[in-house]
Amino acid sequence: MPLFGVVLVSYILTVGGNSSIIFLSMVEPRLQTPMYFFLDNLSVLDLCVTCTIVPQLLANLWGPEKTIASWGCITQAYLFHWTGCTECALLAVMAFDRYVAICRPLQYTLIMQPQVCVQLATAAWSSGLANSVLQATLTLQLHHCGLHILDHFFCEVPVLIKLACGDTTANDLSLAVGAIPFALMAPLLVLISYTFIAKAVLKLPSADGRYKALSTCSSHLVVVIMYFGPAIYVYLQPPANSTQAKFMSFFYCVITPLLNPLIYTLRNKDVKRAWKRILQPQSEVKPSKE
C-alpha cells in the first residue's frame, strides 16, 4: 500500500506536469520555438510511457492478483519499446538543437526552421516505431511453455524473451543490433554535440555569457544523464539481481517522466512568465509615481 500511494502520486504529478508543458506551448506564442517543440514531443513520450506502464502497475499493487491480459502485455511490449527508442533519438535531436543555438546562433533560425523540426521529430518517432515493430513482433512469435510468470512489473521485450523455452539466439542478436542506434549512437551524438558546445562556451569572453549559454542546455544535460544512464545500465549490462533490475526499470519508467517537466520548468523564466500571464490575465502594471 505505501508503494501504491507513492506510484499514484507520481502518476498524477507526471500527467499534470507533462500536460501543462504541452498546454503552455500551445497557448503561449513565446514558447512556440524549436526547443519547446521538441520538449512537447518529450512530454508526449513521457505521457505515453506513464499511461502504458503505471495503470497496470497500480492495479497489481492494489489487488491480490498480479496479472495482465495477453492484449495488455502485447500493448506494453510494443508501446514501451517504441517510446523508449524514440526518446533516445529525440534527446539526440534536442542536443543538436542546443548545439546550433549556442555554436551557430546567427544561423539558428535558418537551420532550425519549422519544417526541419517536424522532419527531425518525425524521424525520431519513425525510427523508434520501426525498431519496436521488429523487436516486439519477433519476440511475440517465440514459443512459450510452462507458467507465464514475469519477474518484472511490466511486459518489455528482454523479459519476454526470457520466457521462451526455445532457442532465442536470433532474438538476442536482433535486440542487440537494434539497440545500437538508440543506446550507443544517440548518446554518442549527444556527447559530440556537448563537446562542441563546451568549446564554444569556453571561448566566450564574459562570464555572464558563459553562464547564459550553459543555463540554456543544463536542463537537457541533466535529463540526458538521467535517461541514458539507467537505460544503458539495464540493457547493455543487465545485473544478475532481478530486484536491482526492476528498480532501475522503475526509475526510468516512473521517476524520470516525473522529473522531466520539473527540471525543464523550475528554473525556466519563460515558463514562469507564461503561467503568470495565464493565471493573471487581467493584471496590469501600474505606473510608478514620481
Side-chain angles (χ1 to χ4, degrees), residues 3-262:
L3 184 58
F4 174 86
V6 171
V7 175
L8 178 61
V9 172
S10 300
Y11 178 62
I12 295 173
L13 293 177
T14 298
V15 173
N18 287 284
S19 299
S20 67
I21 291 179
I22 298 173
F23 170 74
L24 283 178
S25 298
M26 293 176 61
V27 301
E28 178 56 48
R30 296 186 181 183
L31 299 184
Q32 295 174 1
T33 63
M35 183 180 75
Y36 289 101
F37 170 76
F38 294 126
L39 183 56
D40 285 348
N41 280 264
L42 183 63
S43 295
V44 171
L45 284 170
D46 287 340
L47 287 174
C48 290
V49 171
T50 301
C51 295
T52 300
I53 305 300
V54 177
Q56 182 63 46
L57 174 59
L58 289 172
N60 291 340
L61 289 174
W62 181 262
E65 294 186 3
K66 299 173 176 27
T67 59
I68 183 172
S70 297
W71 66 266
C73 187
I74 293 172
T75 302
Q76 283 190 346
Y78 276 104
L79 289 182
F80 180 76
H81 206 82
W82 181 15
T83 54
C85 293
T86 301
E87 187 156 347
C88 291
L90 185 63
L91 289 174
V93 170
M94 295 174 73
F96 173 73
D97 172 69
R98 293 298 85 204
Y99 159 76
V100 177
I102 295 175
C103 300
R104 300 286 187 271
L106 299 179
Q107 300 173 319
Y108 181 75
T109 55
L110 181 63
I111 296 175
M112 302 303 295
Q113 297 182 17
Q115 61 268 28
V116 175
C117 296
V118 172
Q119 291 172 359
L120 290 172
T122 302
W125 284 89
S126 300
S127 60
L129 176 61
N131 192 43
S132 171
V133 170
L134 174 63
Q135 304 300 340
T137 302
L138 290 176
T139 301
L140 294 174
Q141 289 178 346
L142 291 172
H143 177 64
H144 299 88
C145 52
L147 297 176
H148 298 171
I149 300 177
L150 291 174
D151 188 18
H152 213 358
F153 60 88
F154 69 98
C155 296
E156 63 173 337
V157 172
V159 180
L160 291 175
I161 291 177
K162 293 179 181 179
L163 286 181
C165 53
D167 184 18
T168 61
T169 303
N171 296 82
D172 294 331
L173 179 61
S174 174
L175 188 64
V177 173
I180 291 176
F182 305 99
L184 292 179
M185 295 299 297
L188 181 61
L189 290 175
V190 173
L191 180 62
I192 293 174
S193 297
Y194 275 101
T195 300
F196 285 109
I197 289 174
K199 290 181 179 180
V201 169
L202 291 175
K203 292 179 181 179
L204 295 176
S206 65
D208 185 59
R210 290 192 293 270
Y211 174 78
K212 289 182 179 179
L214 290 175
S215 63
T216 60
C217 56
S218 59
S219 299
H220 175 256
L221 188 58
V222 172
V223 170
V224 165
I225 295 174
M226 280 199 320
Y227 186 80
F228 281 120
I232 292 176
Y233 181 79
V234 169
Y235 280 96
L236 300 186
Q237 296 180 354
N241 190 338
S242 62
T243 302
Q244 187 178 6
K246 283 183 280 190
F247 174 78
M248 300 302 289
S249 297
F250 181 86
F251 178 81
Y252 67 79
C253 290
V254 178
I255 305 301
T256 300
L258 169 65
L259 295 179
N260 282 350
L262 297 177

